Amino acid sequence: ETGVTQSPTHLIKTRGQQVTLRCSSQSGHNTVSWYQQALGQGPQFIFQYYREEENGRGNFPPRFSGLQFPNYSSELNVNALELDDSALYLCASSEKEGRGEKLFFGSGTQLSVL
Amino acid sequence: AQSVSQHNHHVILSEAASLELGCNYSYGGTVNLFWYVQYPGQHLQLLLKYFSGDPLVKGIKGFEAEFIKSKFSFNLRKPSVQWSDTAEYFCAVRPSGSARQLTFGSGTQLTVLP
């Protein structure tokens, strides 16, 4: 077990809707990263939060947004869902902005967009 | 931007066979390299990592990887696989000193037959 928990585990939405995914990071970790893993692909970096501020962003449109809270838990919000947003969304926590430290991944939220 | 190629999408071996999974990356500077493993129904977890020093790194469960800078490669090896090694293996790269994202390859599914 990594200590990183994500909710919900599965979610079904329709195109155009909005979704919020949640992540509780491992105790003592102040950095959270979000990844999208499409079927048959490796995880793709969405963004990272460090001490409640966005600290890096991958090639994802602005309708993907996030938050980190004072307890270092995090949310990923996706607006105007598209069919291609169907994927496994992974949260990973780490210490020290992730620099030189390993990531601890959660089990993910499987999002299906119909 | 960096990229990672894993040439083998699916590898099938018998127990006790030797394993080598290929990983090549593209990046003009110094990198940190990682192998992650995802066992069926479990979260992604770190197998081993290379930051600097000895290019032959040893990880958990008898795995090792060799960084060959001239070939931009970081191949994963194990002398004798077990049925329990059945999993998906991901190679990942990050610019050295960067606090930000890992770039993952598309993964290699390893199936070990008993």
Side-chain angles (χ1 to χ4, degrees), chain B residues 2-3 25-34 50-52 67 69 72-74 92-97:
Chain B
Q2 62 271 24
S3 64
Y25 69 92
S26 172
Y27 183 71
T30 308
V31 295
N32 300 146
L33 295 156
F34 306 80
Y50 171 80
F51 287 163
S52 63
F67 170 50
K69 188 175 181 180
F72 298 89
S73 70
F74 190 56
V93 64
R94 181 177 67 200
S96 182

Side-chain angles (χ1 to χ4, degrees), chain B residues 22-86:
Chain B
C23 172
N24 287 91
Y25 69 92
S26 172
Y27 183 71
T30 308
V31 295
N32 300 146
L33 295 156
F34 306 80
W35 277 96
Y36 278 82
V37 61
Q38 189 168 31
Y39 297 103
Q42 296 189 25
H43 56 269
L44 270 171
Q45 56 187 286
L46 182 68
L47 203 53
L48 48 78
K49 60 185 178 182
Y50 171 80
F51 287 163
S52 63
D54 188 345
L56 184 63
V57 292
K58 296 189 184 299
I60 60 172
K61 304 187 180 185
F63 285 90
E64 65 179 30
E66 185 176 13
F67 170 50
I68 302 179
K69 188 175 181 180
S70 61
K71 295 185 178 180
F72 298 89
S73 70
F74 190 56
N75 292 354
L76 181 70
R77 301 195 292 247
K78 186 171 184 178
S80 176
V81 295
Q82 300 173 311
W83 176 77
S84 58
D85 293 325
T86 295

Side-chain angles (χ1 to χ4, degrees), chain A residues 6-114:
Chain A
Q6 293 186 241
S7 62
T9 54
H10 295 83
L11 201 52
I12 300 174
K13 291 286 188 178
T14 56
R15 194 171 50 183
Q17 285 189 309
Q18 178 267 341
V19 69
T20 297
L21 310 181
R22 294 179 175 82
C23 172
S24 178
S25 57
Q26 183 156 316
S27 178
H29 287 184
N30 55 23
T31 303
V32 173
S33 303
W34 285 91
Y35 287 80
Q36 181 197 65
Q37 187 176 11
L39 192 63
Q41 300 296 317
Q44 286 195 46
F45 176 73
I46 303 175
F47 43 57
Q48 180 185 86
Y49 277 81
Y50 170 64
R51 294 186 176 178
E52 305 176 56
E53 297 286 333
E54 189 178 289
N55 187 38
R57 189 178 184 90
N59 190 26
F60 280 81
R63 59 190 185 84
F64 286 77
S65 63
L67 282 173
Q68 188 181 30
F69 300 100
N71 66 356
Y72 302 133
S73 65
S74 177
E75 286 183 355
L76 164 65
N77 299 289
V78 187
N79 294 322
L81 284 166
E82 301 178 359
L83 298 180
D84 285 348
D85 296 333
S86 294
L88 180 68
Y89 288 84
L90 298 169
C91 168
S93 74
S94 59
E95 299 173 307
K96 302 178 184 177
E97 286 189 83
R99 184 175 292 117
E101 301 296 328
K102 71 178 184 180
L103 300 180
F104 292 81
F105 283 88
S107 298
T109 293
Q110 184 66 54
L111 173 65
S112 298
V113 182
L114 306 178

